[in-house]
Amino acid sequence: MGTLLGDLSMVTKLTSMWKERLSEWSVGSGSLRETAPQEYEEAASMAVFRIVGMTCSACAGSVERAIKRLPGIHEAVVDALNNRAQILFYPGVVNEEKIRETIEDIGFEASLIENERTNQACRIRINGMTCTSCSSTVERALESVNGVERAHVALAIEEAEIHYDPSLVSSEKLLEAIENAGFEAILISTRTGEDVSKISLKIDGEFTDESITIIERSLQAIHGVQKVEINPGNDKISVLYNPDVTGPRNFIRVIESTVFAGHIKATIFTEGGVGRDSQNQGEIKQYYKSFLWSLVFTAPVFLTAMVFMYIPGVKNMLMFKVVNMLNVGEIIRWVLATPVQFFIGWRFYIGSYKALRRGSANMDVLVALGTNAAYFYSLYTVLRAATSPDFMGVDFFETSAMLISFIILGKYLEVLARGKTSEAIAKLMNLAPETAMLLNLDNEGHVTGEEEIDGRLIQKNDIIKIIPGAKVASDGYVIWGQSHVNESMITGEARPVAKRKGDTVIGGTLNENGVLHVKVTRVGSESALAQIVGLVESAQLAKAPVQKLADQISKFFVPLVIFVSLSTWLAWFIAGKLHWYPESWIPSSMVSFELALQFGISVMVIACPCALGLATPTAVMVGTGVGASQGVLIKGGLALERAHKVTCIVFDKTGTLTMGKPVVVKTKILNSMVIGDFYEIVAATEVNSEHPLAKAIVEYAKIFKDEQENHAWPEARDFVSITGKGVKATVRGIKVMVGNKKLMCDHGVSIPDDAQELLAEAEEMAQTGILVSINGELAGFVAVSDPLKPIAREAISILKSMNIVSIMVTGDNWGTANSIAREVGIDSVFAEAKPEQKAENVKELQAMGHVVAMVGDGINDSPALVAADVGMAIGAGTDIAIEAADIVLMKSNLEDVITAIDLSRKTFSRIRLNYVWALGYNLMGIPIAAGVLFPYTRFRLPPWIAGAAMAASSVSVVCCSLLLKNYKRPKKLDNLEIREIQVERV
C-alpha cells in the first residue's frame, strides 16, 4: 500500500499532464520512428488546434476518434476543458488542413494555433448577489467581454472563475465588467499556464520611481523570469516565472539587495486582501449588526401595534389624539419605522436599483416593493389623520419594519449556514504549514546549517527538514531518513504510510516518528494540496445540469410574482367594492382596500427565488467537500449528476482490479541456456518498453546479476514495440522476440505442445504467459502474475447488490481475463482489447441503454474514460488517465468506487429534496398568502409572517444540504476484511 500511495503525487497534475505526456510521446524512449509503421520514414510533427463547440467529455471523445481514424496520425489528445487538441502526425501522409477539415466535418469549429499563447484564469469574489437572477446576469456580462472563453459564477460561494485570453482582456477589465453589472468585485487570484507561475510581492519602505525601475530591471535579469508587472501605486510587483528555474526567495533577495539596502522590505502579497473565510465572517458580522439595530427599532413598533393596544391604560395613552385624528401610537410607529425602512433597509433599494438598471428583477425588488407599499400607505394614513377631523385609517408600519427585520435575520442565518458548506476547502487550505525548515548543503551534500522560512518561499529543489510531529511543507521525495507519515487528510488512508529514501511525500501530511530530509519537487499551484483545493473549488463552481431548472425559473419568477401580487390586490379590492363578499369578512380595524393591500403585500414578500437558486449549489458544495475528505475527488456537479444514474461499471484489469504491480512467478527454459544469460537477453529487450509486464521481467532479472553491478543491460538494436503483442530487438547479434502467442505465430515461430500446456496452465491460474524466441526458435516461457486487490471480489458483490452491472475490459488474453473475472465474480468480459476498442465497448454498452462508468488507471484507458458517461481514475494511475476522468480515487481502493456512487446518490437525493421544498414552498405559500383559504377559514397570512416564512425557506434549504456533512459510507464497506497478498514463485 505504501508503494501505491507513494505515487499519489501524480494525482495533482490535473490540468497540465496531458501536455507533458504528449511531450514524452514526441521525444520518449526509442523514438517515434522506432515504434511507427515502416512506411512513415519522416519524423512526426506536432499541431495544436483550438476547437469551439465542445460541451462535454463525449464531444472530446468524438473529436479524438475522428482524428485517430485518419491515416498518418501517431497520437491525439483532446482537452475538452481548455477546448484544444494536440496531435502528433506524419506530414508526408496527412497535413494540418486535412485534420482541421476532419474536425469540422463532425460539427465543431477548428483553427490551428500558430503561435500558442497560454490562456489565464482568475477567481473573483462577487458581493451583492442574492439569487440566481443575479448570478446569471454576472455570467452573461462576463461572457460578453471580448477575450473571455468561459465564465462560471457560483451563487452559493459568491465567486466566479473566468478563463480568458490575456492578449485581449485583463483581469482589471473583468472586474470592471462585474461592477458595471451592479456588483462589487474583488480579485482573489490569477492562474497562468501550465509552465508558468505568478506571484505578487508587496514592497514596503522608502523608494522612488527610479528605485522601482531598477528593481524591475533586476528582476527581469533573473534567469527564468518571463515578465514583471509594476502596480501603478508602486507598492506591488507581480512576477511571471518558470518555477523549475527560480522562485520567490530569489526575487525577495534581489529586491532587498538592489538599492537602498535595509530601507526596502519585500513580502508575499495575498491578492484580494482577505480569504473566503474572512469575507464570510465579515458578512456575518454585518448582517448581525444590522439585525440588532433593526430589532431595537422594530420591537417597540410591534409592541405598540400588537400588544399595548390590548392593555387598557396603555391603550388610552397611545390613542390620545395629537392633531385631529392623528394619535400618539401612530407617531411613535412612524418615527421608529422610518430608520428601519430607509437606513437599515437601504441595501434593498440599492439592490433593486442595480437589478432594474440591468433590466432584470431579483429578491431585492420584491422586498423593496412590498415594504414600500406598506410604509407609504401607512404614511398616507398618518398624513390624512393629521389633516382630517373624521378620517379613520389603519397604519402598517409594523409590517414594513418587521418584514425588513425578519429578512435580515434570514440572510444572517443563511450566510452563517452557507459558510459551513465550504468548510472542506477551508480545512484543506489550512493543512499547509506556515513555516518550513530549510537546510543548507555544501557541495558534497553535507548539511551546513538550517533556517526557518515562510512556507510560501519554498522553491523547487530545496532540501527541507521534517521533524516528528511536523507537517510536510511541500511535495517531494525523501533523500535521507525514515518515518511513518499520516496521509489521511489528503488521501483518506487511515493507516500511517512508511517512508524511506526514494519515497514521495505530499505537502500538508503529518510526519509521525522520524526525521526526514525531503527534496522539493512541486511548489505553489503545482503541489498536490493546491491542485486538490483547485479541483474542489472548480467543482463547486461548475453547475450541474439540474441547476438549469432553477436558472430557467429565475428568468420569469420575480416578474410573475409581481403580476400575481398586483392581481391579488386588484381582485380583492374589486370584490370588496362590488360587495362580492360579506362585510363581516373585513377585520374591524380595516377597510376593504387595506385588506386587499395586505393580501397583495403578503404574496409579494412570501415568494422566494433564493431557495431555488441555493438548492443545487449548496448540496454540490457539501457533497464534493465530503468526497474530498474521503479521498474521492469529484470534478463538479455534472460528474455527480451522471454518477448517481450509473447502471454499469466497466473495470480495467491491470492496476484497477489487480494491484498493477505484476511479478514473475514462473520461468521455464526450453533450450540449453543458463537462466542468468536467458534473463539478461530478455531484460535487455524489455527494458526499452514501458509496459508493466516488461517492467516486472526486468525487475526479476536483476536477481541474477551481482549486487555490485549497476544493472546496465546490453544494448538492444532495432527495437520495435508491437501494440497488443510484444516487442522485438537485436541483442548482441541475437534476434529476440518477447510477447504473446500471436506475436510468435505472426513471425512463424512454432510453439511445441509443452509450451502450449504451459500457456493453458497459466491462463487457468489467471497468469499471463509470455513466450521468448531467440533467432526464430522458442527459447523460454515466463509466467507473470498481477495479484488481485484484496477486496476486489467483495466490491463487485456490493455493486451487484446496488443493481449495478460489472464488466471487465482488458488487453490481456481471453484465458487470463476469464480466470480473473471468475475469481472476482464478473460475468461479462471484453479481452484482447486495444485502447480504441475499449472506448467502442463503452459505446456499445451505452447503445444498450446503460449509463456507463469506466474505472481505469493507464494511458490506454483514457479513450474509454472520455467515452464513458463517468470516468473514474485510480489515484496511483497515470497522469493522463487522471486528466481524462470525471472522478479521481485518491487511495486506489475499489471500495471508493462504491463510495463515489453512493455519495452521488445521496447528494442528488438531497438536491431533489431541496427542490421539492423550494418549489413546494412557493407553490403552497403564494396561494395561502393570496387568501385562498380566507373565505373558508378566515385565515390570512400577515405580511410580516409571510416575510419570515420567505427568510426561513432559504435557511432551510442550506441546512438541508448541510446534513450531507454527516454522510457515512455504506456499512458493508466497514465489514470488509483486508486479506494478505501472497505471491508464490516457481
Side-chain angles (χ1 to χ4, degrees):
M1 183 63 70
T3 305
L4 285 174
L5 290 175
D7 294 332
L8 280 169
S9 59
M10 290 190 291
V11 175
T12 62
K13 288 292 187 178
L14 293 171
T15 56
S16 63
M17 288 306 172
W18 68 286
K19 185 173 181 180
E20 292 181 8
R21 181 62 62 184
L22 277 174
S23 298
E24 292 173 15
W25 282 327
S26 64
V27 296
S29 62
S31 70
L32 289 175
R33 188 177 300 173
E34 288 175 323
T35 57
Q38 296 179 356
E39 60 265 32
Y40 301 152
E41 293 296 333
E42 75 284 354
S45 295
M46 168 117 31
V48 181
F49 289 83
R50 178 177 286 111
I51 302 175
V52 178
M54 293 191 297
T55 58
C56 61
S57 58
C59 299
S62 300
V63 174
E64 195 167 295
R65 288 193 297 274
I67 295 171
K68 287 181 176 179
R69 280 196 290 265
L70 288 172
I73 298 296
H74 178 77
E75 192 52 72
V77 176
V78 179
D79 181 15
L81 188 64
N82 295 305
N83 297 314
R84 293 193 178 190
Q86 202 161 3
I87 301 146
L88 282 173
F89 66 99
Y90 297 96
V93 183
V94 67
N95 56 31
E96 291 96 335
E97 182 60 26
K98 180 63 176 176
I99 296 171
R100 186 189 64 79
E101 289 176 357
T102 300
I103 297 170
E104 293 188 344
D105 285 345
I106 60 173
F108 301 96
E109 295 180 20
S111 59
L112 181 66
I113 302 176
E114 299 287 350
N115 298 310
E116 183 178 358
R117 175 182 291 274
T118 302
N119 284 353
Q120 291 187 359
C122 68
R123 297 178 70 86
I124 296 175
R125 172 87 179 183
I126 303 172
N127 295 327
M129 295 191 298
T130 58
C131 61
T132 50
S133 175
C134 300
S135 59
S136 298
T137 298
V138 175
E139 212 164 77
R140 288 193 297 271
L142 287 169
E143 289 174 344
S144 66
V145 177
N146 183 34
V148 172
E149 288 193 352
R150 62 185 180 279
H152 299 295
V153 180
L155 172 66
I157 58 176
E158 296 183 314
E159 288 183 13
E161 184 177 68
I162 305 105
H163 294 257
Y164 61 97
D165 186 342
S167 65
L168 299 176
V169 66
S170 64
S171 57
E172 288 77 13
K173 288 288 185 184
L174 299 176
L175 294 173
E176 185 180 335
I178 295 172
E179 289 171 355
N180 288 339
F183 301 93
E184 181 187 357
I186 303 171
L187 182 66
I188 299 174
S189 64
T190 56
R191 187 173 70 249
T192 55
E194 295 89 344
D195 304 321
V196 181
S197 293
K198 181 178 181 179
I199 191 168
S200 296
L201 302 173
K202 182 175 176 58
I203 309 298
D204 294 312
E206 301 174 4
F207 53 85
T208 62
D209 290 342
E210 181 182 358
S211 60
I212 289 295
T213 302
I214 295 173
I215 290 174
E216 182 180 6
R217 291 174 180 171
S218 300
L219 289 173
Q220 288 174 338
I222 298 175
H223 179 56
V225 172
Q226 298 187 5
K227 187 178 181 182
V228 178
E229 300 173 350
I230 305 294
N231 193 59
N234 283 345
D235 61 342
K236 174 185 166 187
I237 297 178
S238 299
V239 184
L240 274 74
Y241 64 98
N242 184 343
D244 293 326
V245 180
T246 187
R249 210 164 60 249
N250 295 341
F251 307 151
I252 291 175
R253 188 181 299 117
V254 167
I255 291 171
E256 294 182 350
S257 63
T258 300
V259 288
F260 303 112
H263 294 281
I264 292 183
K265 190 74 175 175
T267 55
I268 292 179
F269 181 88
T270 303
E271 292 188 276
V274 291
R276 179 190 296 177
D277 186 58
S278 299
Q279 285 276 1
N280 185 258
Q281 290 300 319
E283 199 172 4
I284 289 172
K285 289 179 180 178
Q286 185 181 16
Y287 276 116
Y288 181 69
K289 184 178 179 181
S290 296
F291 173 68
L292 287 182
W293 276 110
S294 67
L295 195 62
V296 168
F297 291 101
T298 302
V301 173
F302 173 77
L303 291 173
T304 58
M306 301 291 184
V307 178
F308 294 160
M309 297 302 291
Y310 298 97
I311 302 175
V314 180
K315 177 181 178 182
N316 294 335
M317 184 179 66
L318 293 175
M319 294 299 293
F320 179 78
K321 303 293 189 296
V322 178
V323 179
N324 289 329
M325 299 300 291
L326 179 63
N327 58 48
V328 173
E330 289 173 331
I331 295 175
I332 292 174
R333 289 191 289 273
W334 178 24
V335 171
L336 292 176
T338 298
V340 177
Q341 180 71 33
F342 296 108
F343 291 98
I344 298 171
W346 183 248
R347 67 178 72 239
F348 301 115
Y349 287 100
I350 296 295
S352 301
Y353 167 73
K354 291 179 178 179
L356 295 173
R357 191 185 68 176
R358 61 179 179 261
S360 62
N362 59 10
M363 187 197 77
D364 291 332
V365 174
L366 294 178
V367 175
L369 283 174
T371 57
N372 275 339
Y375 179 85
F376 284 107
Y377 176 75
S378 301
L379 181 60
Y380 163 76
T381 63
V382 166
L383 295 178
R384 279 293 306 274
T387 57
S388 172
D390 55 0
F391 177 78
M392 295 293 292
V394 178
D395 66 90
F396 298 131
F397 285 121
E398 80 285 352
T399 295
S400 65
M402 292 178 70
L403 259 177
I404 290 173
S405 297
F406 274 116
I407 290 169
I408 290 177
L409 174 62
K411 291 298 291 183
Y412 165 71
L413 295 174
E414 178 189 325
V415 172
L416 197 66
R418 208 166 61 192
K420 296 182 182 297
T421 62
S422 57
E423 281 184 354
I425 290 180
K427 288 179 181 178
L428 284 171
M429 295 177 73
N430 290 333
L431 288 177
E434 294 182 358
T435 60
M437 192 63 70
L438 178 68
L439 296 180
N440 299 316
L441 307 180
D442 59 20
N443 293 334
E444 296 180 357
H446 299 132
V447 177
T448 59
E450 59 184 47
E451 61 175 315
E452 191 175 42
I453 62 171
D454 188 320
R456 295 173 295 177
L457 297 180
I458 297 174
Q459 299 178 183
K460 280 189 179 180
N461 300 318
D462 280 345
I463 308 298
I464 56 177
K465 178 182 177 181
I466 316 296
I467 61 175
K471 290 181 179 179
V472 179
S474 192
D475 296 0
Y477 62 89
V478 178
I479 62 171
W480 180 87
Q482 57 184 3
S483 181
H484 284 78
V485 176
N486 183 350
E487 297 181 336
S488 61
M489 62 288 294
I490 300 292
T491 67
E493 177 62 63
R495 292 171 295 178
V497 181
K499 299 292 181 182
R500 55 182 59 87
K501 185 177 180 180
D503 289 340
T504 58
V505 291
I506 307 173
T509 54
L510 183 66
N511 183 29
E512 292 201 340
N513 54 10
V515 177
L516 298 175
H517 291 180
V518 174
K519 186 169 185 177
V520 176
T521 56
R522 295 193 180 103
V523 295
S525 60
E526 290 185 342
S527 68
L529 189 58
Q531 291 283 355
I532 292 171
V533 170
L535 187 149
V536 176
E537 286 182 329
S538 296
Q540 294 180 350
L541 279 164
K543 290 183 179 179
V546 70
Q547 177 68 20
K548 293 178 182 178
L549 172 64
D551 292 342
Q552 292 296 324
I553 293 174
S554 69
K555 292 179 181 179
F556 57 84
F557 185 87
V558 174
L560 180 62
V561 168
I562 294 172
F563 172 77
V564 172
S565 175
L566 292 173
S567 300
T568 299
W569 169 77
L570 189 61
W572 278 101
F573 177 67
I574 293 174
K577 285 295 183 183
L578 298 179
H579 303 290
W580 287 353
Y581 60 82
E583 289 189 8
S584 61
W585 286 14
I586 304 174
S588 58
S589 59
M590 294 186 187
V591 295
S592 61
F593 174 83
E594 293 166 345
L595 179 65
L597 182 63
Q598 279 216 349
F599 281 128
I601 294 173
S602 294
V603 169
M604 191 169 293
V605 297
I606 200 172
C608 184
C610 298
L612 280 171
L614 294 170
T616 298
T618 53
V620 170
M621 283 179 67
V622 179
T624 53
V626 168
S629 68
Q630 301 208 16
V632 178
L633 302 183
I634 303 170
K635 298 183 182 179
L638 178 60
L640 266 175
E641 182 164 347
R642 288 178 174 173
H644 94 281
K645 300 176 182 177
V646 166
T647 59
C648 173
I649 298 182
V650 178
F651 291 94
D652 175 50
K653 179 180 77 69
T654 305
T656 303
L657 291 173
T658 64
M659 296 299 296
K661 301 289 182 181
V663 292
V664 174
V665 294
K666 185 175 183 179
T667 305
K668 181 73 173 178
I669 307 297
L670 301 177
N671 60 14
S672 58
M673 288 186 71
V674 177
I675 191 169
D677 295 339
F678 171 81
Y679 266 108
E680 185 172 38
I681 292 174
V682 174
T685 305
E686 290 281 43
V687 76
N688 297 290
S689 173
E690 290 295 318
H691 198 283
L693 298 181
K695 291 181 179 180
I697 292 174
V698 173
E699 193 64 30
Y700 185 67
K702 292 177 182 179
I703 297 174
F704 304 100
K705 296 181 72 70
D706 295 334
E707 292 183 1
Q708 292 78 13
E709 296 186 24
N710 59 0
H711 304 307
W713 305 105
E715 181 183 2
R717 298 178 178 272
D718 304 322
F719 174 82
V720 177
S721 175
I722 304 170
T723 303
K725 296 179 181 179
V727 296
K728 63 180 181 178
T730 302
V731 180
R732 292 177 178 170
I734 301 172
K735 293 183 178 180
V736 184
M737 286 194 300
V738 184
N740 57 21
K741 185 176 178 180
K742 282 186 177 181
L743 178 66
M744 301 301 155
C745 294
D746 290 349
H747 290 78
V749 178
S750 61
I751 303 174
D753 293 340
D754 57 344
Q756 297 277 15
E757 291 176 3
L758 288 170
L759 286 171
E761 180 184 340
E763 290 178 0
E764 289 177 3
M765 298 177 66
Q767 298 169 356
T768 301
I770 298 173
L771 300 174
V772 179
S773 77
I774 295 177
N775 290 330
E777 293 185 2
L778 200 65
F781 166 84
V782 178
V784 178
S785 174
D786 188 3
L788 279 175
K789 287 187 175 176
I791 61 166
R793 183 176 184 84
E794 290 84 350
I796 299 301
S797 175
I798 293 173
L799 287 171
K800 284 184 179 179
S801 70
M802 298 169 67
N803 296 319
I804 295 176
V805 177
S806 297
I807 294 173
M808 188 178 78
V809 61
T810 178
D812 213 336
N813 62 73
W814 278 98
T816 301
N818 285 324
S819 179
I820 291 283
R822 283 195 302 272
E823 191 169 347
V824 298
I826 290 177
D827 299 324
S828 183
V829 178
F830 295 111
E832 299 180 3
K834 295 180 180 179
E836 61 273 13
Q837 291 173 330
K838 291 182 180 182
E840 291 303 322
N841 292 334
V842 169
K843 289 293 185 184
E844 289 173 10
L845 293 168
Q846 290 170 330
M848 294 166 60
H850 285 294
V851 178
V852 181
M854 170 71 192
V855 185
D857 73 324
I859 299 172
N860 59 353
D861 298 323
S862 298
L865 288 170
V866 172
D869 297 288
V870 180
M872 297 187 188
I874 292 294
T878 60
D879 306 318
I880 196 164
I882 292 167
E883 170 60 24
D886 302 299
I887 298 175
V888 178
L889 310 179
M890 293 284 288
K891 296 197 292 287
S892 298
N893 289 347
L894 285 175
E895 60 193 83
D896 285 344
V897 174
I898 300 166
T899 300
I901 299 295
D902 185 65
L903 177 60
S904 67
R905 289 180 175 181
K906 293 287 198 312
T907 301
F908 260 79
S909 174
R910 191 67 56 183
I911 289 173
R912 290 193 191 100
L913 186 60
N914 284 347
Y915 272 119
V916 168
W917 168 248
L919 287 170
Y921 162 81
N922 283 290
L923 292 174
M924 293 178 62
I926 290 176
I928 292 173
V932 170
L933 301 179
F934 188 71
Y936 311 103
T937 64
R938 302 298 182 272
F939 173 79
R940 61 187 176 87
L941 206 62
W944 63 273
I945 294 181
M950 184 264 278
S953 65
S954 295
V955 177
S956 62
V957 165
V958 177
C959 291
C960 184
S961 296
L962 281 174
L963 292 176
L964 274 172
K965 292 179 69 176
N966 300 321
Y967 170 81
K968 302 292 183 185
R969 66 181 195 163
K971 290 183 179 179
K972 293 178 181 178
L973 296 179
D974 297 329
N975 299 325
L976 296 179
E977 295 183 3
I978 304 298
R979 300 187 304 274
E980 184 180 357
I981 300 171
Q982 296 181 345
V983 178
E984 297 180 0
R985 286 176 172 165
V986 179

